[in-house]
Amino acid sequence: MDRYSFLNAVHPSYIAELYDKYLQYPDSVEPSWRAFFQGFDFGIENDSLEALGIEKNGDIPEGYFKEFQVIKLIDAYRSRGHLFTKTNPVRERRKYTPKLDIENFGLSKDDLQTSFKAGEILGIGESTLEEILKHLNKIYCDSIGIEYMYIRKPEEIQWIQDKLNINENQPKFSAEKKKHILKKLNEAVAFESFLHTKYVGQKRFSLEGGESLIPGLDALIESAAEKGVEEFVMGMAHRGRLSTLTNIFGKSAKDIFSEFDGKDYEQVIFDGDVKYHLGWTSKRKTDSGKEINLNIAPNPSHLETVGAVVQGIARAKQDDHHLEHPEKVLPIVVHGDAAIAGQGIVYEIVQMAQLDGYKTQGTIHIVVNNQVGFTTNYLAGRSSTYCTDVAKVTLSPVLHVNADDVEAVVHAMLFALEFRMHFKHDVFIDLLGYRKYGHNEGDEPKFTQPQLYKAISKHENPRDLYSEKLIKEGVIDKEYTKKLEKEYKNKLEENLEDSRKEEKTEISAIMQEEWEGFTYAEEDKMMEDVDTTFDLDKMTEIAEVITKLPEDKKFLRKVTKLIKARNKMYFEDNKLDWAMGELLAYGTLLAEGHDVRITGQDVERGTFSHRHAVIKAEENEEEVVLLNELSEEQAHFYIYNSLLSEYAVVGFDYGYAMASPITLCIWEAQFGDFSNGAQIMIDQYISAAEDKWKLQNGLVLLLPHGYEGQGAEHSSARMERYLQLCAKDNMFVADCTTPANFYHLLRRQIKVDYRKPLIVFTPKSLLRHSKVVSTKEELANGTFQMVIDDADAKASKVKTLVFVTGKFYYDLLEVKEEEKRDDVALVRVEQLFPLPTDQMKKLMKKYKNAKDVVWAQEEPKNMGAYSHILMHFEEARNFRVCSRKMYAAPASGSSVRSKQRHQKVIESVFDTNEK
């Protein structure tokens, strides 16, 4: 009996469907069918069906061979069709082999009129090969190329294929919709040409060559509002930003013209920034009357940095206002092709997309692809085929679209939106256009791309191309577009005239609705005492909750012992350690209605195993977060171990703090030394954003710092770098020595009516130091002390006054007590910026008999706080400096050498002959 006769009993369309499924997900097919298809594929690929005992058109029913080959052809279009699209408007695409010629699939021209059941898997029913090819080319090889076959979820692939089959992936818009698209496209083109005429040679990073972004964004926002999206958070670099601000966000062209005219600012306390870096928030009413909130985050020239900030803003809005339906906040990030391929932070952000602490229900990524980065050709800008290949990290679909085909752009945007809303997953759109001028409008691109720019100079803009198309379709007449352009340019002229009547321009802060009730603070306000007290009885109630484990769960013996010790330190000994002070700061803020968010590497337990804010049950690893068990009315305590990233995570949490000023938002470095991985965020946002963008932010950075002989990368948070960035009133910097002072510092961050970033150099060895304790009364009734005097010193006896900060105080205290040096006073400077100079001067007067005044630090002389003290405290010029010598590396790798150096500094403090 013919061993393949069973095929005769099976309907050909079922086998076609099964084979198609096998090609996409082999493991989902029943084993015997899978074995049959594997054997068939092996035989075809090696031209050895006979070796498997199969005679072509003999054993297997006639026609099946061809059906399988057609299915393989369909699979190839799905997998590789994007390589053969018409997506490049100005130059030939790179050549790829093998091509999709039917001969490569065992088919020939003789088969073109043959009908194949395989058409049914495309949703077009049994069709001739010619019809199948037309269908496949329209879907996969026209103005839109789509990559998605690497996705591992069958439901996502099926959804995409079903969508692609509708209208053969071709746009189908009404005449009215086409006119609206043309209107927005005209605004994009006319806006740029107006600026080019009025501000000749000025940098504006024009959108020319990618103007279809504007109608695309417009359609995306309008449609998203219909699907329930209420807030949009957008990040984009320079190119096209001004057009987006005025034509999508509704920023007055008058304000943009004021920025072009280079006027001074209304606000004296802000320095401002260039026009294409500024942020904006607006309320917009959609065409259907829905109120939506639009935010575009300010961005520095570090192009992809803003992407992390956008994610943080979106997550904060989701947590604060849309906890039940977080998809109502939609992040949109507009990239450049060179930046998305070249900047490592993009990978970090993409890796966040599905993580509990960072997910935002899917981001729509849009690449304005100029095919060049500054002067670098794309072939020198990446090794990957596409600039968007990072999308494959999260198995996100990518649509490559010809930017000259505006209807295809709008169609792709709507496709991307539906995918995001349905699957809460990222999706990427690669908008392939060109850049009409150089990197900026004063640049000469022909120096490096003469052939490309020769083609661009002859190329019609997308509006005129679309206008011609609509005239041919009979949708508009020849005068229609001219009228649109004239009306829009007249409006711009009016704005320009109004703008030139004003002498100054004003910086508008973004997300003003989140910041109602907050004021700006200058240095004098930052130095005021703040009431950070908390009712002791209520604190005791919090302590009861966070020092008792659930009795119905089993925990590790060490954890049980630790929590019991916390109970004892509060209720019996009244000696609270660092962790207890920290946890009570969070607990009291939660009780007062403030959310607390902490992220970073290993923050749940704490790098040094001190925090244990999240406790795991031993048997099933169920998480217990005692700070979320305080009461039904309390706020949320969010704590997440981060991915191994500093740059993107700090950016994310900065964005979160920007959008949620009532939340205590903290990022903790695993070691303070590692914060240099986030240096761009620190330089561009944390230290400068208020000055540049009128942007307050209360993000707290906890940076473990201290010399314990752990080498050059585990000793110093490089406090000198943060202190060098301090100016006027831009942030707080502190180095606390007691749990109570740390407690009040954290509470002060929320209790004031303004927000400043806070940098805290936190301890490592002090976390369990017997002297680093505070009483519950010091927490409940105390306040933050910027300077802590030596309580044991008698002023009349003191001959050496030592100013010191942080952990080094306890090293000096040990020697002072051992040697009974009552001639030495150790004064702790707990706040390094703004520096409490008045208090320091008062103490110098108090210890007027001390002719030897010392600045002592464990860091090398060219590091630590010395240069900062010297700069901000005039009296410091006469200080005796006790520190390590100047070194290039922060610390020695040898623990023995490190200890020797440390001891030498301590000895120098107490050796008055050093002076």
Side-chain angles (χ1 to χ4, degrees):
M1 181 181 171
D2 178 359
R3 60 177 176 146
Y4 296 106
S5 60
F6 70 94
L7 293 172
N8 289 308
V10 182
H11 196 280
S13 62
Y14 172 73
I15 296 179
E17 186 181 326
L18 205 58
Y19 185 56
D20 180 49
K21 192 176 180 184
Y22 158 77
L23 289 175
Q24 295 181 67
Y25 324 104
D27 292 341
S28 67
V29 176
E30 194 272 329
S32 61
W33 278 109
R34 186 164 68 244
F36 169 72
F37 291 139
Q38 284 170 343
F40 177 79
D41 279 354
F42 179 81
I44 289 291
E45 286 165 15
N46 295 278
D47 199 24
S48 58
L49 287 174
E50 289 80 359
L52 294 169
I54 304 171
E55 291 182 19
K56 289 187 183 181
N57 301 326
D59 291 342
I60 295 179
E62 191 173 353
Y64 277 119
F65 284 101
K66 291 286 177 74
E67 287 284 358
F68 289 164
Q69 300 296 47
V70 172
I71 294 166
K72 273 191 170 291
L73 174 68
I74 292 168
D75 186 61
Y77 268 87
R78 289 168 171 170
S79 303
R80 302 178 64 246
H82 57 86
L83 298 171
F84 306 99
T85 54
K86 302 167 187 171
T87 49
N88 199 322
V90 288
R91 57 178 161 191
E92 285 291 314
R93 288 206 57 174
R94 283 188 274 183
K95 306 298 181 198
Y96 296 94
T97 55
K99 294 185 177 181
L100 297 174
D101 299 335
I102 57 175
E103 289 77 11
N104 292 329
F105 299 88
L107 301 164
S108 69
K109 290 178 183 177
D110 295 338
D111 297 310
L112 288 172
Q113 299 310 314
T114 304
S115 289
F116 291 95
K117 298 283 185 186
E120 293 184 14
I121 66 175
L122 292 171
I124 59 175
E126 185 174 339
S127 305
T128 65
L129 179 58
E130 187 174 48
E131 289 166 339
I132 288 170
L133 284 169
K134 282 180 184 175
H135 183 75
L136 290 171
N137 276 295
K138 278 189 172 182
I139 289 179
Y140 295 106
C141 300
D142 203 351
S143 291
I144 301 174
I146 179 165
E147 295 183 272
Y148 69 97
M149 288 296 281
Y150 43 76
I151 294 174
R152 296 182 195 134
K153 292 183 178 177
E155 64 273 21
E156 289 186 13
I157 286 196
Q158 191 59 54
W159 185 94
I160 289 171
Q161 289 176 351
D162 289 345
K163 279 285 174 190
L164 293 175
N165 287 331
I166 299 171
N167 300 334
E168 296 181 314
N169 196 27
Q170 299 292 314
K172 194 172 184 182
F173 299 123
S174 67
E176 283 309 304
K177 178 66 176 174
K178 290 179 179 183
K179 285 180 181 177
H180 183 76
I181 291 170
L182 178 62
K183 176 177 175 285
K184 297 306 291 185
L185 192 53
N186 172 70
E187 289 172 4
V189 172
F191 178 77
E192 298 291 2
S193 67
F194 186 85
L195 290 180
H196 193 63
T197 306
K198 301 295 181 181
Y199 297 98
V200 179
Q202 273 212 47
K203 289 182 186 178
R204 68 178 191 276
F205 298 98
S206 83
L207 190 55
E208 286 160 285
E211 294 98 330
S212 53
L213 173 70
I214 298 301
L217 282 174
D218 177 72
L220 175 62
I221 290 167
E222 289 283 336
S223 183
E226 292 301 306
K227 294 181 186 302
V229 174
E230 295 175 9
E231 298 201 58
F232 298 82
V233 185
M234 190 167 165
M236 67 183 297
H238 316 340
R239 190 147 316 279
R241 187 183 184 89
L242 297 179
S243 183
T244 302
L245 278 167
T246 193
N247 293 316
I248 298 296
F249 281 76
K251 182 174 182 178
S252 169
K254 176 172 74 73
D255 293 340
I256 291 174
F257 297 147
S258 286
E259 291 156 10
F260 266 102
D261 288 329
K263 297 171 184 175
D264 200 1
Y265 301 106
E266 288 279 358
Q267 304 97 322
V268 176
I269 59 172
F270 301 111
D271 276 346
D273 200 355
V274 289
K275 50 200 166 286
Y276 38 79
H277 285 181
L278 301 176
W280 187 259
T281 290
S282 63
K283 297 280 186 187
R284 169 172 159 173
K285 190 167 273 191
T286 66
D287 291 345
S288 62
K290 286 187 164 48
E291 281 274 347
I292 54 171
N293 192 25
L294 298 169
N295 303 279
I296 186 167
N299 72 292
S301 281
H302 290 81
L303 304 176
E304 293 292 342
T305 302
V306 74
V309 177
V310 162
Q311 300 299 332
I313 293 171
R315 178 59 180 261
K317 286 180 171 290
Q318 290 171 347
D319 285 352
D320 287 354
H321 308 301
H322 305 278
L323 204 51
E324 298 301 315
H325 295 284
E327 70 280 359
K328 289 187 174 184
V329 181
L330 174 59
I332 303 169
V333 181
V334 181
H335 309 265
D337 52 313
I340 194 174
Q343 298 286 299
I345 190 174
V346 179
Y347 179 85
E348 295 181 32
I349 295 166
V350 165
Q351 281 287 20
M352 290 175 162
Q354 300 299 317
L355 303 181
D356 284 346
Y358 306 94
K359 62 185 177 186
T360 53
Q361 312 302 312
T363 298
I364 295 179
H365 298 267
I366 304 166
V367 182
V368 177
N369 191 337
N370 304 151
Q371 307 187 57
V372 63
F374 201 162
T375 67
T376 303
N377 193 289
Y378 74 98
L379 292 170
R382 61 178 184 266
S383 297
S384 59
T385 300
Y386 295 114
C387 62
T388 50
D389 280 347
V390 70
K392 291 164 189 170
V393 171
T394 46
L395 307 177
S396 301
V398 181
L399 295 101
H400 305 278
V401 196
N402 188 322
D404 269 0
D405 188 341
V406 66
E407 287 189 16
V409 172
V410 171
H411 182 76
M413 293 278 191
L414 299 178
F415 179 101
L417 172 68
E418 288 197 43
F419 182 87
R420 184 268 180 182
M421 297 304 290
H422 193 83
F423 292 106
K424 315 294 187 290
H425 197 97
D426 284 9
V427 57
F428 289 69
I429 297 172
D430 177 16
L431 200 62
L432 203 73
Y434 54 92
R435 189 182 69 192
K436 187 174 180 182
Y437 303 105
H439 176 65
N440 59 65
E441 285 64 34
D443 194 25
E444 176 49 83
K446 287 181 181 174
F447 287 150
T448 50
Q449 279 91 18
Q451 287 187 320
L452 174 61
Y453 275 87
K454 189 176 180 182
I456 289 171
S457 66
K458 297 173 184 175
H459 197 75
E460 279 192 276
N461 69 59
R463 181 200 61 193
D464 292 346
L465 290 170
Y466 190 49
S467 181
E468 288 166 19
K469 179 176 183 284
L470 295 188
I471 290 168
K472 285 178 185 173
E473 291 178 5
V475 175
I476 61 170
D477 59 29
K478 289 185 178 180
E479 297 302 312
Y480 187 87
T481 306
K482 289 178 185 175
K483 185 183 174 189
L484 277 181
E485 183 175 22
K486 187 178 178 184
E487 287 173 355
Y488 184 72
K489 285 195 170 177
N490 285 342
K491 188 175 154 190
L492 292 178
E493 285 285 2
E494 288 170 18
N495 274 275
L496 183 60
E497 283 179 33
D498 291 344
S499 149
R500 289 182 171 166
K501 291 173 187 172
E502 297 176 2
E503 291 182 9
K504 294 189 176 182
T505 189
E506 183 176 354
I507 302 172
S508 298
I510 75 164
M511 293 185 291
Q512 291 159 344
E513 75 282 359
E514 304 287 0
W515 288 85
E516 282 184 23
F518 287 89
T519 60
Y520 290 94
E522 295 184 46
E523 190 174 335
D524 56 346
K525 190 170 184 178
M526 294 170 71
M527 297 301 286
E528 292 174 359
D529 287 334
V530 178
D531 182 3
T532 51
T533 59
F534 190 83
D535 183 79
L536 182 57
D537 291 338
K538 289 181 181 176
M539 182 183 286
T540 299
E541 290 174 12
I542 294 168
E544 282 178 0
V545 176
I546 66 173
T547 62
K548 285 184 182 175
L549 289 168
E551 293 179 2
D552 60 340
K553 295 178 179 65
K554 187 180 178 185
F555 298 92
L556 291 171
R557 212 169 5 175
K558 281 187 177 179
V559 171
T560 305
K561 186 179 176 183
L562 177 106
I563 300 302
K564 280 183 180 176
R566 285 180 180 173
N567 187 279
K568 184 174 182 289
M569 73 173 65
Y570 188 94
F571 291 98
E572 295 178 31
D573 303 336
N574 198 14
K575 290 182 178 179
L576 312 183
D577 67 4
W578 193 274
M580 197 62 183
E582 178 186 346
L583 294 171
L584 285 169
Y586 303 147
T588 55
L589 288 170
L590 291 165
E592 291 172 330
H594 295 282
D595 286 353
V596 175
R597 175 184 165 91
I598 309 172
T599 81
Q601 294 151 26
D602 311 298
V603 294
E604 294 178 3
R605 186 204 76 177
T607 298
F608 310 103
S609 201
H610 84 286
R611 183 173 292 120
H612 293 281
V614 177
I615 300 165
K616 300 281 184 78
E618 186 176 1
E619 292 174 348
N620 57 7
E621 295 193 359
E622 180 187 343
E623 293 187 349
V624 174
V625 183
L626 295 172
L627 279 166
N628 275 327
E629 305 295 327
L630 304 181
S631 71
E632 290 183 7
E633 297 80 31
Q634 73 164 90
H636 296 96
F637 180 66
Y638 301 112
I639 185 164
Y640 303 101
N641 286 341
S642 74
L643 64 162
L644 198 68
S645 153
E646 290 84 33
Y647 188 0
V649 171
V650 171
F652 187 103
D653 283 312
Y654 182 90
Y656 196 104
M658 188 198 301
S660 187
I662 60 170
T663 297
L664 178 64
C665 194
I666 297 173
W667 175 74
E668 182 176 60
Q670 194 173 58
F671 284 82
D673 314 55
F674 302 168
S675 65
N676 55 16
Q679 198 66 47
I680 290 171
M681 281 308 313
I682 293 158
D683 291 348
Q684 304 300 326
Y685 281 89
I686 289 172
S687 67
E690 185 173 333
D691 218 21
K692 292 192 294 187
W693 304 319
K694 200 175 175 181
L695 203 65
Q696 294 192 71
N697 197 288
L699 179 65
V700 180
L701 265 57
L702 302 183
L703 309 178
H705 174 89
Y707 281 56
E708 283 99 356
Q710 294 186 55
E713 269 81 61
H714 300 84
S715 300
S716 173
R718 306 305 294 252
M719 63 167 66
E720 64 277 0
R721 293 184 178 173
Y722 294 91
L723 294 171
Q724 189 180 34
L725 291 169
C726 291
K728 296 192 300 184
D729 49 26
N730 64 333
M731 56 183 169
F732 286 109
V733 179
D735 191 5
C736 301
T737 57
T738 73
N741 225 23
F742 184 50
Y743 165 93
H744 290 294
L745 178 67
L746 291 174
R747 283 182 54 77
R748 181 183 76 171
Q749 191 70 357
I750 289 295
K751 303 304 279 186
V752 292
D753 64 353
Y754 59 87
R755 291 291 177 263
K756 303 283 180 181
L758 168 62
I759 313 298
V760 190
F761 301 106
T762 54
K764 296 178 285 183
S765 59
L766 300 190
L767 296 173
R768 295 171 181 82
H769 196 290
S770 60
K771 286 187 179 290
V772 185
V773 291
S774 300
T775 66
K776 58 182 117 176
E777 289 78 15
E778 286 173 327
L779 269 65
N781 306 319
T783 188
F784 176 68
Q785 296 175 270
M786 298 181 197
V787 177
I788 300 178
D789 191 8
D790 191 330
D792 299 324
K794 290 186 178 178
S796 59
K797 292 186 177 182
V798 172
K799 295 178 181 177
T800 297
L801 171 60
V802 180
F803 286 107
V804 65
T805 187
K807 167 238 170 194
F808 198 40
Y809 162 76
Y810 290 98
D811 297 335
L812 298 179
L813 180 64
E814 184 180 356
V815 175
K816 180 188 172 183
E817 291 178 345
E818 279 178 6
E819 297 184 1
K820 299 179 180 176
R821 292 289 297 270
D822 60 0
D823 62 330
V824 176
L826 301 177
V827 173
R828 287 168 272 177
V829 181
E830 301 278 292
Q831 179 169 292
L832 291 166
F833 192 82
L835 191 66
T837 52
D838 289 345
Q839 292 184 43
M840 292 169 73
K841 286 175 185 175
K842 281 180 184 175
L843 287 167
M844 288 180 74
K845 284 181 182 176
K846 175 185 173 181
Y847 297 107
K848 58 186 177 183
N849 293 338
K851 305 304 178 188
D852 180 30
V853 184
V854 174
W855 175 258
Q857 64 179 41
E858 57 184 342
E859 303 85 6
K861 191 175 181 181
N862 58 320
M863 301 176 195
Y866 173 58
S867 58
H868 171 74
I869 298 292
L870 201 58
M871 189 184 299
H872 291 269
F873 193 52
E874 200 170 316
E875 287 77 0
R877 295 174 188 174
N878 299 315
F879 285 5
R880 179 165 64 91
V881 185
C882 295
S883 69
R884 282 168 163 81
K885 293 177 182 177
M886 293 189 184
Y887 291 105
S892 170
S894 160
S895 59
V896 173
R897 181 175 292 182
S898 181
K899 194 173 181 181
Q900 289 170 346
R901 289 177 180 175
H902 197 67
Q903 190 59 36
K904 195 172 181 182
V905 179
I906 293 171
E907 288 169 3
S908 71
V909 172
F910 292 95
D911 184 356
T912 53
N913 294 322
E914 283 279 319
K915 194 173 182 181

